[in-house]
Amino acid sequence: MADVVHMIDSEVFLAFSTYATIVVLKMMLMSFMTSYFRLTKQVFSNLEDTTLVKTTEDRKKLVRVDPDVERVRRCHLNDLENIVPFVVIGLLYALTGPDLSTALLHFRVFVGSRFIHTVAYVMALPQPTRGLAFGVGLFTTFSMAYRVLTTALFL
Amino acid sequence: MADVVHMIDSEVFLAFSTYATIVVLKMMLMSFMTSYFRLTKQVFSNLEDTTLVKTTEDRKKLVRVDPDVERVRRCHLNDLENIVPFVVIGLLYALTGPDLSTALLHFRVFVGSRFIHTVAYVMALPQPTRGLAFGVGLFTTFSMAYRVLTTALFL
Amino acid sequence: MADVVHMIDSEVFLAFSTYATIVVLKMMLMSFMTSYFRLTKQVFSNLEDTTLVKTTEDRKKLVRVDPDVERVRRCHLNDLENIVPFVVIGLLYALTGPDLSTALLHFRVFVGSRFIHTVAYVMALPQPTRGLAFGVGLFTTFSMAYRVLTTALFL
């Protein structure tokens, strides 16, 4: 266990653990947001789910597509497409031994950009707010990938 | 290599490796289930895929949407949305040095909840079976995230 | 930090870091490909995005579904469903201390299969090109999972 304890004692790794956990929790909140919209707007994907709000015969009408629910679902999928690469590349980046201040800058900018992205998506803010937030997050991940590949390249 | 060998010798990390691998393999089985339904029900997303079951002219009719295939695909996406957070947070949790019995409890409850979730989804069991399985998995991941943030917080 | 530096000095772990980063970057390129098709074909999911190409009144018509965009999106989702398991199981596999040559074989075959899969999907090459690429990637991941479970099994 000694080695594991040492690893978790690295400040860069602690910072990575903190920000990765926060941004993954943010991603999980999209599930709650989807459930909230589904229950309040009575919009479901599965017939068996409609019993959660109604027990009468016309339950089949509740199995439909709603633009607000689809918006939250697209935001959730975009999170998966961007937060998963951050977590994978960020973990490898943390193991390359970067400066603490540089690492913190990457982690904070990425996590901030994803919170802005979510607000911009769910509230349908005018572009290019969401596009910029998306791009900043992407750029941060590319920057970390560059360091991983230049430090650890082994083909 | 010594350090890696030591890390993999931690029983909590071995347990994490085992359960993470099992639940990721379960997620991968959803691909087979989708392929199985697509081939037996002759329902495809891409025109070029229809040659797998038919070579005549009316192949275009096979590019369509089928409720059973969509159900399996929703289950697969739900797996991605929940198993990815478990793997990320579970890995960091395993590195915080929890008690073996507490860690095993978390891993077993999560993996069990996801198997129940899949059965409930694919067989369209009455709610709240699937909702409860989903919630138990979410709660387990939150519990591990709580320990990661209280042990390793570094903002 | 010493332990982390040692871990990253393991050649198998360096190789994993390199190939995992490359294949995750490939997955991220699907976002650019989707944006490229959306902007050039003027096809959007959100009304607010249409201002990126048009400012007149008939912007609502641009919120629609296009087969080429959907094709890229299905390829992106398939990447998520397959590359995430590779990264998780590959990381655990790298920690089990496999032979460098065996590990390199797994990593190279998987990453190669996913590049072929993407080309076959986006260019709609005749089957079974894409099916075979998909299957080879899956088999590689299963092979690594087998080693993880036989080396680290702790239930």
Side-chain angles (χ1 to χ4, degrees), chain B residues 82-96:
Chain B
N82 288 278
I83 291 176
V84 167
F86 166 77
V87 168
V88 173
I89 291 173
L91 173 70
L92 300 173
Y93 169 80
L95 297 177
T96 64

Side-chain angles (χ1 to χ4, degrees), chain A residues 41 65-72 74:
Chain A
K41 301 196 77 173
V65 170
D66 175 86
D68 289 347
V69 172
E70 293 308 302
R71 179 175 282 276
V72 176
R74 284 196 299 275

Side-chain angles (χ1 to χ4, degrees), chain A residues 27 43 70 85 104-105 137 151:
Chain A
M27 183 167 78
V43 180
E70 293 308 302
L104 279 171
L105 184 67
T151 312

